[in-house]
Amino acid sequence: EATADFAVDDTEAALAKLGRATTEAPDSFEAWHALAEVNLSLRRLDAALAAGERAHAGRQRPERQRARSCARF
């Protein structure tokens, strides 16, 4: 839904939904990545960088790497 809001230029709705998504699923790469993209489009560079770093930090956690490896089998 946030992506659809962003696509029709409703960035405030997108930011609100992504804020809820990152609170409810703090390890969600997709939510943090989308938040970074929306903030970047608004030239909120510090917020975009912080969200991008958070997105990639979640992907680097060893327990997440193990879970992904196990899910393949």
Side-chain angles (χ1 to χ4, degrees):
E1 290 182 29
T3 304
D5 291 332
F6 179 59
V8 296
D9 236 6
D10 191 352
T11 54
E12 292 308 313
L15 287 171
K17 289 175 183 173
L18 290 168
R20 286 192 300 273
T22 55
T23 298
E24 293 172 11
D27 291 331
S28 172
F29 171 82
E30 293 80 5
W32 286 107
H33 184 262
L35 184 59
E37 288 183 348
V38 173
N39 277 308
L40 184 60
S41 76
L42 296 171
R43 307 295 297 162
R44 296 176 181 173
L45 303 181
D46 290 338
L49 179 59
E53 288 175 341
R54 183 75 186 259
H56 288 284
R59 295 190 100 171
Q60 301 303 317
R61 293 187 182 158
E63 64 273 11
R64 290 196 56 153
Q65 294 296 334
R66 278 193 299 274
R68 260 192 240 124
S69 296
C70 294
R72 292 183 190 154
F73 298 102

